[in-house]
Amino acid sequence: MTKFSDLKLDPKVLSAVADAGYETPTPIQAGAIPPALEGKDVLGIAQTGTGKTASFTLPMLTLLRRGRARARMPRSLVLCPTRELAAQVAENFDLYAKNTKLTRALLIGGVSFGEQDKLIDKGVDVLIATPGRLLDHFERGKLILTDVKVMVVDEADRMLDMGFIPDIERIFQLTPFTRQTLFFSATMAPEIERITNTFLHAPVRIEVARQATTSENITQKLVEITPARRDQTAKAKRELLRALINAEGETCTNAIVFCNRKVDVDIVAKSLQKYGFDAAPIHGDLDQSQRMRTLDSFRDGSLKVLVASDVAARGLDIPAVSHVFNYDLPMHAEDYVHRIGRTGRAGRKGTAISIAVPQDEKFLSQIESLVKMEIPRAEIPEGFELSEGAQQPARKRDDDKGGRSRGGRGRDRDRGERGGRDRKRETSQAEAVTEAQAEAPQKAEAKPAEPEQRVEAKPEPKQEDDNKSRRSRGGRNRRERDNDVVGMGDHVPDFLTVSFRPSKTEEPAEDSAES
DNA sequence: AAAAAAG
């Protein structure tokens, strides 16, 4: 078995690796580092969580150790699809470059140019960037790319999804033909193939096994419900989500809840907060500093539940998440794998629980054929009061008061209510927001018996106001929502210390009667 | 059908 010490890395880099506690390279590292150190182009086919980042940072630092960057002329370039990913790569560089004098700059959108300009002017060895901001700097004449010796493209498949390929091609053309290229992608779509054929020179191809489509460390579950009425779907799912989190009890130390839409990320996060969960949203419409703050507090454990769009599905290094909840099933089966891959990492056990409604059927079957297994159906947790708003997959359609039944988890999802023609979203954004708002207040009364004071942090009067303003202003009030979302942290009793024993009072009857 | 990224 190779060790890092066998890999001809710079001693200073090696000592940083050792300090970080790593001894044995992962397969992608063992495969990519040696050719990269020889100056060869590398085509790495690997997913997140395989140790990909170190497989280019370590050789780059070694290759760059001699020489010095000139003003505005970075010596290497790392391109990442998202800001968070770029920031994370930057952290990696800091970690492994700590014993060297190499410098780096992070060029991402959403933050001011000033600081970035200053660093570029001083000259940096490593430039880590998202494509848009990089080109922005270039067009302003701030950046000269003719001295780039090494260029890395990270998560190329995602760049493709995001429409970055033209930008990437352009950036390739701005760098010298003689540069060394390290190129990473989880898949080799035809378009990616074309790019690599065009811009890589005799690359060494390293392919590591798909990160088990489903790691056996991850316990997967699927809970199907069939809301009696379409317009109650969202609320029923939120109720169910809370019940599922509660049912996991103390085993749920921290969790990511994935939603397909940004608006739902906000709604769900807000709803969870109203119910006393230590939750915060993250998606691409939130401003960058808030994204960073949220992510930081999630990493350091002060935030327990991260409600996220797919911005967080891939690439982000969030260690040791005990649970992943799919509030929505992802529309791309691939994303399911990425999402649940946020848990069960590094040999730990993880749990991934997904909520499905009848409309999800086709996504579900795609997911199941991708992961090559049927996701075990789980029962609706105790404490989830089955109301008209949410029923288990209907076995009998006319059993319309039969909410209480718990047994049936057959796969007859096509039975349920599916008014095929009406494809549009069941609840408008504005309605949904007010609905989320409305859920909690009733909650407060229903709950005094509960030992934990989770609800007490709730700023009630303010909500009523917001509620009105929201109603009148339709759905376009994200900024406003963001503002009252943050800052509950200190008041909300620790998620961990809460006893999760589900209680029926948790779901007041009014909750489902309303609307 | 949605998210992300340059404003």
Side-chain angles (χ1 to χ4, degrees):
Chain A
M1 192 92 167
T2 24
K3 299 269 183 239
F4 277 112
S5 47
D6 306 329
L7 288 180
K8 303 200 172 97
L9 291 164
D10 182 88
K12 289 179 171 170
V13 175
L14 212 47
S15 67
V17 171
D19 290 350
Y22 297 111
E23 210 173 84
T24 312
T26 66
I28 186 77
Q29 291 161 357
I33 292 175
L37 287 174
E38 290 168 28
K40 293 180 180 153
D41 282 2
V42 171
L43 172 56
I45 302 165
Q47 310 238 340
T48 315
T50 51
K52 195 162 44 76
T53 309
S55 75
F56 59 82
T57 52
L58 301 181
M60 277 175 83
L61 291 170
T62 300
L63 291 164
L64 294 169
R65 87 202 123 163
R66 282 182 233 292
R68 234 183 112 62
R70 284 180 285 168
R72 297 190 214 174
M73 297 177 76
R75 299 164 66 212
S76 67
L77 190 55
V78 180
L79 296 172
C80 304
T82 68
R83 299 168 184 175
E84 275 78 10
L85 205 45
Q88 199 176 290
V89 169
E91 277 174 30
N92 236 268
F93 268 98
D94 293 344
L95 178 64
Y96 298 125
K98 65 175 187 180
N99 300 325
T100 74
K101 291 201 175 99
L102 296 169
T103 56
R104 60 91 176 156
L106 176 62
L107 304 190
I108 57 176
V111 295
S112 69
F113 284 90
E115 202 67 15
Q116 299 179 355
D117 281 343
K118 241 195 283 175
L119 286 170
I120 298 172
D121 284 346
K122 263 199 280 179
V124 291
D125 299 294
V126 183
L127 205 55
I128 302 150
T130 45
R133 183 53 74 98
L134 180 87
L135 287 171
D136 211 338
H137 277 282
F138 182 80
E139 277 153 14
R140 289 162 65 245
K142 290 287 181 188
L143 200 53
I144 303 162
L145 296 176
T146 52
D147 199 30
V148 169
K149 311 274 193 290
V150 188
M151 172 162 156
V152 176
V153 179
D154 197 11
E155 308 234 341
D157 53 328
R158 241 189 131 188
M159 303 255 196
L160 175 65
D161 289 346
M162 293 167 65
F164 278 154
I165 293 299
D167 289 347
I168 297 299
E169 289 189 74
R170 177 145 177 248
I171 295 165
F172 264 122
Q173 282 156 355
L174 297 172
T175 61
F177 181 73
T178 52
R179 67 165 191 271
Q180 178 183 4
T181 308
L182 312 175
F183 192 100
F184 295 86
S185 183
T187 59
M188 287 303 286
E191 185 69 358
I192 303 281
E193 192 87 50
R194 186 184 65 77
I195 299 284
T196 57
N197 290 338
T198 310
F199 296 104
L200 272 62
H201 308 300
V204 174
R205 188 179 167 119
I206 318 288
E207 191 158 356
V208 301
R210 278 183 86 72
Q211 179 190 14
T213 356
T214 48
S215 148
E216 61 269 14
N217 292 330
I218 305 175
T219 305
Q220 297 178 67
K221 295 185 212 167
L222 184 88
V223 179
E224 295 173 298
I225 54 166
T226 302
R229 284 176 25 202
R230 276 244 177 164
D231 63 354
Q232 291 169 339
T233 302
K235 185 210 298 265
K237 284 168 80 170
R238 289 195 298 272
E239 275 173 38
L240 176 57
L241 174 65
R242 294 193 298 272
L244 289 169
I245 297 174
N246 284 335
E248 292 301 301
E250 288 134 27
T251 63
C252 182
T253 57
N254 57 354
I256 307 181
V257 176
F258 283 106
C259 305
N260 289 353
R261 299 170 194 80
K262 289 180 279 198
V263 55
D264 289 326
V265 169
D266 285 331
I267 293 167
V268 170
K270 178 150 283 202
S271 165
L272 287 173
Q273 288 169 354
K274 296 286 140 81
Y275 282 88
F277 292 95
D278 184 14
I282 188 166
H283 59 67
D285 278 356
L286 299 175
D287 70 55
Q288 192 56 28
S289 62
Q290 179 162 356
R291 280 162 67 170
M292 296 281 196
R293 273 204 309 275
T294 301
L295 212 47
D296 284 344
S297 54
F298 192 63
R299 284 212 187 93
D300 72 25
S302 54
L303 174 71
K304 301 304 179 194
V305 182
L306 184 67
V307 187
S309 67
D310 278 317
V311 69
R314 307 194 207 185
L316 294 191
D317 186 28
I318 301 164
V321 177
S322 75
H323 284 64
V324 166
F325 294 92
N326 284 314
Y327 171 86
D328 295 310
L329 276 184
M331 307 189 199
H332 289 305
E334 289 276 325
D335 286 330
Y336 177 81
V337 178
H338 289 297
R339 287 181 180 186
I340 72 169
R342 310 314 306 179
T343 187
R345 310 183 83 184
R348 282 178 239 262
K349 296 242 179 271
T351 305
I353 304 179
S354 302
I355 297 176
V357 293
Q359 301 92 294
D360 292 325
E361 189 189 355
K362 61 177 181 299
F363 304 135
L364 181 56
S365 58
Q366 283 164 10
I367 289 166
E368 292 189 322
S369 75
L370 178 70
V371 302
K372 297 189 178 65
M373 62 177 275
E374 180 177 292
I375 303 169
R377 271 38 177 191
E379 296 191 19
I380 289 175
E382 293 278 327
F384 180 67
E385 191 72 29
L386 289 168
S387 61
E388 321 163 54
Q391 302 182 347
Q392 276 204 302
R395 294 183 307 283
K396 287 188 212 148
R397 281 285 312 279
D398 29 55
D399 177 18
D400 72 353
K401 267 297 164 200
R404 214 140 278 232
S405 55
R406 286 238 164 77
R409 38 214 264 257
R411 304 204 50 198
D412 45 348
R413 1 176 229 279
D414 37 0
R415 276 283 80 83
E417 186 132 22
R418 339 194 38 205
R421 59 218 164 267
D422 183 19
R423 250 18 210 155
K424 90 180 167 40
R425 238 171 104 34
E426 55 277 358
T427 317
S428 81
Q429 179 172 329
E431 278 166 346
V433 171
T434 52
E435 196 186 344
Q437 290 292 307
E439 277 175 71
Q442 296 144 355
K443 178 67 202 293
E445 279 97 38
K447 211 176 167 255
E450 201 71 27
E452 64 266 19
Q453 330 83 325
R454 299 198 306 219
V455 271
E456 89 188 354
K458 189 168 40 70
E460 280 201 63
K462 178 159 163 278
Q463 272 167 25
E464 301 292 0
D465 294 348
D466 287 356
N467 214 344
K468 295 212 174 71
S469 75
R470 242 158 228 136
R471 208 182 303 270
S472 58
R473 294 184 45 201
R476 334 181 87 305
N477 44 20
R478 209 194 69 242
R479 207 178 54 235
E480 195 186 332
R481 269 183 280 148
D482 291 347
N483 288 342
D484 51 18
V485 163
V486 268
M488 293 185 64
D490 286 334
H491 306 288
V492 180
D494 194 342
F495 184 82
L496 263 180
T497 67
V498 160
S499 130
F500 282 112
R501 200 175 18 70
S503 78
K504 304 246 166 156
T505 56
E506 198 84 9
E507 321 294 341
E510 300 93 319
D511 203 79
S512 49
E514 161 250 326
S515 115

